[in-house]
Amino acid sequence: MNATAQQGVSLQARDVCKSYAGQLVLKGIDFQVERGEVFVLMGPSGSGKTVLLKHLIGLEVPDRGEILIEGQPIHSPGVVDRYRLAMVFQSGALLNSLSVADNVGLYLSEHRLHPPETIAQIVAEKLALVGLKGIENKLPSELSGGMKKRVSIARALVIEPQLILYDEPTSELDPLIAVTIGAEILRLNQRIHVTSIVVTHDRDLAFGIADRIALMHEGELIALGPPDQVKADPHPLVQRFLQADFRFNPESITP
Amino acid sequence: MFQNFGEMLMLLWRTAWALPMTWRQRRKVFDQLFEIGNASLLMACLLSFFIGGVLALQTGPVLAERGLTNFIGQIVGLSMCRELAPAMMAMLIAGRIGSSMAAELGSMTVYQEIDALRTMNINPIQYLVLPRLVAISFALPVLVVFSILVGWLGGAVVSVSNYQIAISYEGYFNSLRDGIDLIDLVNGLFKSAAFAVVIGLVSCHQGLHTIGGPRGIGRSVTKAVANSIILILILDYFLTRLLMHLDR
Ligand SMILES: Nc1ncnc2c1ncn2[C@@H]1O[C@H](COP(=O)(O)OP(=O)(O)OP(=O)(O)O)[C@@H](O)[C@H]1O
Ligand SMILES: [Mg+2]
């Protein structure tokens, strides 16, 4: 595994539609993410961000449209296997039967990429990176929500991926750790030019790290562009979402 | 249930394809074997002893009336071997192990652990289904041998101690030895291996297709056990027919 020689991958969603039990969740999503870009996806709860991420990494098959990774349909045989992809799940999705160390090192040990000692070393290193030390032998059930999230981020980092999807990486984290995670997303992006797609409700994080921001609303992208452009977007929903704060009536966020 | 047959056959096929990876997954196979043994040995022992016992109790007095007590070992021996041990152990394992497989895989599905594996390019079939299926297919026949032996013993204890039957241990085991061939044992083992595949397949399939949150896990477990048992009993009939045919 040679991290320095690696490049991020480009990703394209083409008219992606998906419905669950008759409810249209994605209504024709179109966008492209360039190699090495940090692409932030925002939007109200339930707007379909998680569903979209699952499509982007090939876990779900769209009803219509397609996802292209480096120009090739992600569901063509053998295409996903060619790239190293990682996803930080909203819930963490750690394997409950494995210890923290085994979880973080799972990719390396299952694919036999390193001997066990090296794996242990890498695992400790990545855990330290997300501010966790000495919890290698704990089980996921013994961790707090924020710790699980960080272990899950460490597990994704271990893969040294070419594309990494973060589903709300900083929810459940205190502001200090959140800033560290934000910095790490950027650092990883600069160091190995990974393509990052970040779903977040954290506006500071979003505007701090994004090359481009997309705003999703009820299964559609209603704004897409560099942070400044999105900030200036006159669309009323965009403005309401971006400017909502505690002085507002919370109901005004989701009309 | 029946629309799942195709999916289950696919799962079997894909697991069979993954069989060469068994050595790589040997630690998980051992873990599973240990779990199966741990969860079922004592129960199997108890169950088999009493099945053998009740067989002797039911048939013994009738045979004794007709002066045929020297057949009792053979009857208990054959029934345990060819039918009761494989069928009862399969049901025990369906309840004890099939349910826990379905629950475990079900919760992994619901809590997106399977999705996480897939994003890491780890094939859930190799990683989860293969070790379980291999372990259960090995463990159930072994358990059946054990059950047969304990069942014979149960039959013996009852035949000797029941005043209506009252034959000697020697008489019982002589009759048993005379009445039973190796082929009868092979017969039972063959059945049990088939049942094991059914249990593993049904349970893993149900687990992996769990939908609807934690409640779905409960549904999967119930379905896994019920479907396994139904399939076992149906398959039992047809396997018995087949084996009888081959015997001739
Ligand atoms: N497997 C599924 N089956 C049925 N409906 C689903 C499924 N997954 C998602 N949905 C529906 O799709 C919609 C979008 O869900 P999604 O999880 O993508 O929201 P989200 O934007 O990630 O929200 P949040 O910010 O709260 O995480 C919701 O209405 C949800 O009920
Ligand atoms: Mg979500």
Side-chain angles (χ1 to χ4, degrees), chain A residues 20-21 23 25 43-52 54 60 90 167-168 199 201 216:
Chain A
Y20 291 106
Q23 179 204 359
V25 175
S45 181
S47 55
K49 305 181 297 294
T50 300
V51 171
L52 179 57
K54 283 188 181 171
E60 296 269 356
Q90 195 165 0
D167 200 349
E168 305 194 10
V199 166
H201 291 304
M216 202 164 168

Side-chain angles (χ1 to χ4, degrees), chain A residues 10-14 30-33 56 66-69 71:
Chain A
S10 69
L11 199 68
Q12 188 181 1
R14 247 198 225 154
D30 264 304
F31 66 92
Q32 180 155 9
V33 183
L56 294 181
E66 58 185 351
I67 306 291
L68 304 175
I69 181 165

Side-chain angles (χ1 to χ4, degrees), chain A residues 28 38 50 55 67 76 83 88-89 92 123 141 157-158 165-166 179 190 220 227 236:
Chain A
V38 178
T50 300
H55 281 80
I67 306 291
S76 301
Y83 306 100
V88 177
F89 286 82
V123 165
S141 55
L157 298 184
V158 160
L165 309 181
Y166 302 87
V179 168
Q190 278 148 13
E220 288 171 297

Side-chain angles (χ1 to χ4, degrees), chain A residues 54 57-59 80-81 85 87 89 91 93-96 98 106-107 110-112 155 159, chain B residues 23-26 28 104 107-108 111-122 127-128:
Chain A
K54 283 188 181 171
I57 202 166
L59 285 175
V80 236
D81 304 343
L85 316 175
M87 175 157 173
F89 286 82
S91 60
L94 300 175
L95 271 67
N96 279 307
L98 299 184
L106 187 62
Y107 180 83
E110 270 305 303
H111 294 289
R112 309 251 165 134
R155 180 173 71 178
I159 300 174
Chain B
W23 181 245
R24 258 182 97 155
Q25 303 286 358
R26 62 188 178 279
K28 283 191 216 82
E104 201 179 352
S107 95
M108 292 186 77
Y111 296 112
Q112 298 189 309
E113 294 177 32
I114 307 272
D115 283 348
L117 284 176
R118 283 167 57 199
T119 63
M120 285 187 272
N121 239 329
I122 297 173
Y127 186 78
L128 298 167

Side-chain angles (χ1 to χ4, degrees), chain A residues 87-101 103-104 126-127 130-132 135 138-157 166-174 177 181, chain B residues 111 113 116:
Chain A
M87 175 157 173
V88 177
F89 286 82
Q90 195 165 0
S91 60
L94 300 175
L95 271 67
N96 279 307
S97 54
L98 299 184
S99 69
V100 166
N103 259 294
V104 177
K126 299 296 179 196
L127 282 174
V130 293
L132 294 173
I135 60 156
K138 290 202 172 181
L139 286 173
S141 55
E142 298 168 317
L143 304 179
S144 76
M147 286 161 96
K148 278 184 201 164
K149 198 54 136 317
R150 282 187 277 163
V151 172
S152 166
I153 293 172
R155 180 173 71 178
L157 298 184
Y166 302 87
D167 200 349
E168 305 194 10
T170 58
S171 64
E172 300 180 273
L173 300 186
D174 63 72
I177 297 285
I181 297 291
Chain B
Y111 296 112
E113 294 177 32

